[in-house]
Amino acid sequence: MSAVPTRRALAVRAVYVCAVAAAVLIPATFGALARTVFRGRAAGRRHLYRRLVHLVTVLGPTFVKAGQVLGTRRDVLPAALCDELSVLQDSVPPLRPAETARALREAYDDPDAVFAEFDTEPVASGSVACVYKAKLHSGREVAVKLRRPDVERLMTLDVTVIQRVAAVMARLPVMRDLPVNDVMRHMGGAVLGQLDFAREAASLRRLRANLAVVPRVWVPLVHLEQSRPRCIVMEFIPGLDVDAPRRCSPAARRRFAASGLTSIYQMLFVDGFVHCDMHPGNLYFTERAQVVVLDAGFSVQLTERLRRLFAEFFMNMSIGRGDRCAEIVLESAEGLRDNADPEGFQVRMADLVHRNHKVPAKEFSLIAFASEMFDLQRKFGVHAAPELIFPLLSLLVIEGTVRELDPDMDFQETAKPVLMRGLFGHRNAA
């Protein structure tokens, strides 16, 4: 799908990236050393990590998306760095009217034959695309996700530069025990996969069918006939407002929380097809008590084996079987470091599960549990499969939203009926 960058373009971009990196990181390193001397190691690391995040922001949208993906790899990267990367947000100005007109011409031979009206003021803007409100000749209002001009060339170029620089760094002794090339390969796939609008349209249709069994969940209908490789046309959902739950009753907020959490569990444990980007910009609540799921550009299909292992892990965690949880993590691991200690990991992982078993719902933190598990994986040399890390991220991202809506939500009890369907009941075909 992606155009292959020329050698000259790669060289020019690599020189630019290295120059900007040097300009940011050299003073950042000295600043980190000074803070380490006067304030301790934690302060020094925090300063360096924040400057790294600043560097990613300066280098542009591709690097921001890469940073967002890498921030999920808590089994490989330090937790403090992942915390800093997790706050990265796309900060890209919307397309100007002339750019929108160009993007429309690139997507359609004759836009007027498809749209009776098209509002060139975007209702949403991201690094890959902008979203517009339009009207079909049938009179139906639609949302049009239109890819930015030249974004494929620019993102392909940047991802290639990142992967080649990482391949050189992987040869350094300090990187010897890390799966750098594998991590970068999955990062590149996740970032460039968001350019594939045909796949995203298919993912939205699949999520709509899969989540139809979850009460009050709404995934927009895709209009395939009007969609194109550079454009997705879907039903326009009015009244999307992140503040809607604040205007609703406590009972409605609890229903929001239950539906949102159940939708993630349905993806993880039953269907194995997971929306991995369920941040507040892609998850809305309407005043009619519906949960709206948008933007399926970053979705992952678990193999049947991994889907079942994922479900078994949560089932065993909910009943306190720590030994089996540890075995499942090892079974699903992508590999072990040369100096790995799987026996030590198994003991500590089992202890983690036992300590969290039957903890009151209000006190249980999935983020804290996962962070400690990833710390153990790093410490004992267990490399998690990226196919499991990305879906787990979707659950971690939504935890804060669910807790805000319903502080008493019991994540483990809510999972049990969905787990039973996933392990012993009917599952949707892949």
Side-chain angles (χ1 to χ4, degrees), residues 20-22 24-26 28-29 32 44-60 63-64 67 77-78 80-82 84-85 88 169:
V20 174
V24 173
L25 294 182
I26 289 174
T29 301
R45 288 197 195 99
R46 186 164 57 249
H47 175 78
L48 184 59
Y49 294 159
R50 286 178 178 172
R51 296 310 295 166
L52 277 170
V53 170
H54 172 70
L55 170 62
V56 166
T57 304
V58 169
L59 289 173
F63 288 82
V64 169
L77 300 177
L81 175 57
C82 291
E84 296 294 337
L85 291 170
L88 281 168
M169 294 180 64

Side-chain angles (χ1 to χ4, degrees), residues 90-109:
D90 287 342
S91 182
V92 183
L95 290 174
R96 295 187 294 271
E99 294 172 317
T100 298
R102 177 187 166 191
L104 266 174
R105 288 194 302 271
E106 291 179 354
Y108 296 93
D109 293 331

Side-chain angles (χ1 to χ4, degrees), residues 318-333:
S318 70
I319 59 178
R321 292 187 60 195
D323 291 341
R324 179 55 186 151
C325 287
E327 291 172 0
I328 290 170
V329 174
L330 291 171
E331 285 178 37
S332 65

Side-chain angles (χ1 to χ4, degrees), residues 257 278-280 283 285 397-406:
M278 297 279 278
H279 61 75
L283 187 69
F285 306 93
V397 167
I398 204 175
E399 181 181 24
T401 301
V402 171
R403 290 290 186 206
E404 185 177 348
L405 292 167
D406 183 3

Side-chain angles (χ1 to χ4, degrees), residues 1 26 31 45 51 62 72-73 88 102 136 139 141 162 201 219 230 294 322 348 377 427:
M1 177 196 69
I26 289 174
R45 288 197 195 99
R51 296 310 295 166
T62 308
T72 68
R73 295 308 304 266
L88 281 168
R102 177 187 166 191
L136 301 178
E141 289 188 335
I162 293 169
V219 180
R230 295 173 178 269
L294 303 175
R348 294 286 298 277
Q377 287 177 292
R427 296 189 301 277

